[in-house]
Amino acid sequence: LNPAEIGLIVDGKADKRDLLSLIIYFADKGYLTIKQNGKKDFTLTKVKDIDAKEKKFARMLFDGLFAGGDSVKLDELGKSFSDAYFAAYGALTEYYRKPKKRLFTMSSKILRIIAFVLAAAMPFLTTVLSSLYSGKYMGVVIGGFGGTLVIAVTLLLLIRAQDKVYVTNTGRKTAKFTVLWTINLAAAALCAVMVFMDTRSIVCALGFAAGLAASEFAACMMKKRTDKSIELMGKILGLRNFIETAEADRINLLVEDNPSYFYEVLPYAYVLGVTDKWAKKFEKINIESPSWYYGDESTLMDAWFYSRMMRSCSTAVAGNIHIDIEGIEASEI
């Protein structure tokens, strides 16, 4: 599997980071070289045609990079590359929608949608019923409309955060969940108070709270992986665990056998969100400069340098992808 596939499999969604990780992958495979003249000033030069054995979406992205010639400055990538990016994005996602490649069961995806709709609609429906019972409609305005909007938005963000739990660092993950759940629970509590004020029934308020909690939990956790996807995730998380916990002596032996080992793993670490942890493993390990990179020789080119360079290169490419609202990425937005 190439890094773009790993990025898709681990969180169930392809994004720019996944596809653009292929640039370093292409370089390490000997397909292109990277010349850096400034922090975000990069020139890619084609060395040879991409191997026909590479996945279709990878070939599409590579050909899109060099649609205008064998050498291209990243700040000059135009519409042709944007079209190639969207086509590659579509090919990658379509590949994993095939029945034998599908990552999640269809039943669990349908149930997640149902659970989300129930969770989003419950505040409005409950406050409407309680307001009709009491004859007062302040609960509908505050809890029904306001609560429904807040709960729906925060739940969507929580679902996405849960899906990306394996590619988000611990600090950011904790902060995101804390903020989103705090806002979500505050809105739910407000709706429950509105229900109680209308019905004067603690049972109705607690019933609403329990039903909402069950629906939200189901929406976040319902998505079930296929057997093949579970097998792949086990291997991917094994790789992530290795990047995070491998001892320097073990890595040093691997580098002695393969001097390019750092660069081979780098794009995979990037899509798994552990680039810095991978670079840190090489603070006391000498690595050879890659034959595919040209830059300022006065700069210390250690593992941290190449990690930053990869992020800068990907950012530079991403800045030249022009989103067409009718294009494939509209579904990603």
Side-chain angles (χ1 to χ4, degrees):
L1 298 177
N2 63 42
E5 291 177 280
I6 296 293
L8 168 63
I9 293 168
V10 77
D11 61 10
K13 190 174 182 66
D15 53 32
K16 286 189 179 76
R17 179 167 66 173
D18 300 335
L19 282 164
L20 299 186
S21 68
L22 291 175
I23 292 176
I24 301 300
Y25 173 82
F26 292 151
D28 185 65
K29 289 286 188 178
Y31 300 140
L32 59 80
T33 60
I34 302 173
K35 182 178 181 181
Q36 184 176 9
N37 300 312
K39 186 177 180 180
K40 293 186 179 180
D41 184 4
F42 294 90
T43 299
L44 305 183
T45 301
K46 180 178 175 181
V47 175
K48 62 181 180 180
D49 290 333
I50 188 170
D51 195 314
K53 294 181 180 179
E54 296 285 357
K55 301 288 174 59
K56 178 181 178 181
F57 64 86
R59 299 198 307 270
M60 294 168 76
L61 190 72
F62 182 84
D63 292 340
L65 284 169
F66 300 105
D70 288 349
S71 184
V72 59
K73 295 189 67 173
L74 296 190
D75 59 2
E76 295 177 356
L77 289 172
K79 186 177 183 301
S80 60
F81 175 71
S82 295
D83 292 342
Y85 169 83
F86 293 136
Y89 176 92
L92 171 59
T93 54
E94 186 62 31
Y95 182 73
Y96 282 95
R97 288 195 186 107
K98 296 177 180 179
K100 292 184 179 181
K101 295 290 184 180
R102 191 173 290 147
L103 300 176
F104 301 94
T105 64
M106 287 301 296
S107 59
S108 69
K109 293 172 74 172
I110 292 171
L111 288 172
R112 168 180 268 193
I113 293 172
I114 293 173
F116 172 78
V117 171
L118 284 174
M122 199 173 294
F124 180 75
L125 294 176
T126 306
T127 52
V128 166
L129 291 174
S130 64
S131 294
L132 289 173
Y133 174 82
S134 67
K136 300 175 183 179
Y137 297 95
M138 186 60 69
V140 176
V141 176
I142 297 176
F145 291 101
T148 296
L149 178 62
V150 173
I151 287 171
V153 171
T154 53
L155 182 55
L156 274 175
L157 295 174
L158 282 165
I159 289 171
R160 186 61 183 141
Q162 180 62 40
D163 288 347
K164 295 183 77 66
V165 69
Y166 293 117
V167 294
T168 307
N169 68 59
T170 303
R172 185 178 300 176
K173 182 166 50 183
T174 301
K176 183 178 290 186
F177 277 117
T178 300
V179 170
L180 290 174
W181 275 121
T182 299
I183 296 172
N184 183 278
L185 292 174
L190 179 61
C191 291
V193 169
M194 293 295 104
V195 172
F196 175 75
M197 290 178 66
D198 286 339
T199 63
R200 296 299 174 180
S201 170
I202 191 69
V203 174
C204 289
L206 290 178
F208 159 75
L212 180 62
S215 297
E216 290 194 315
F217 179 79
C220 287
M221 306 301 295
M222 183 63 73
K223 215 170 178 182
K224 180 184 177 182
R225 290 184 177 270
T226 61
D227 291 342
K228 181 62 176 178
S229 179
I230 292 172
E231 179 185 351
L232 291 173
M233 275 297 290
K235 296 177 180 180
I236 292 169
L237 295 181
L239 171 61
R240 190 177 192 275
N241 183 64
F242 167 77
I243 292 172
E244 292 184 305
T245 63
E247 297 179 354
D249 290 344
R250 184 181 178 190
I251 292 178
N252 199 33
L253 289 174
L254 291 168
V255 172
E256 288 179 2
D257 290 338
N258 179 8
S260 298
Y261 192 71
F262 171 77
Y263 307 107
E264 289 182 4
V265 177
L266 184 59
Y268 293 91
Y270 180 57
V271 298
L272 291 172
V274 287
T275 310
D276 289 345
K277 292 183 178 181
W278 183 236
K280 189 173 179 61
K281 298 290 183 183
F282 288 81
E283 285 182 328
K284 297 181 180 180
I285 299 176
N286 292 324
I287 58 173
E288 296 181 3
S289 296
S291 60
W292 45 261
Y293 177 80
Y294 301 91
D296 184 359
E297 295 182 358
S298 64
T299 304
L300 177 61
M301 295 183 181
D302 58 2
W304 288 106
F305 170 82
Y306 289 109
S307 296
R308 290 191 296 269
M309 181 275 295
M310 182 181 64
R311 282 193 287 260
S312 296
C313 184
S314 296
T315 301
V317 177
N320 287 280
I321 297 174
H322 306 291
I323 299 177
D324 180 353
I325 60 173
E326 296 180 355
I328 190 74
E329 196 165 303
S331 61
E332 183 178 341
I333 298 171

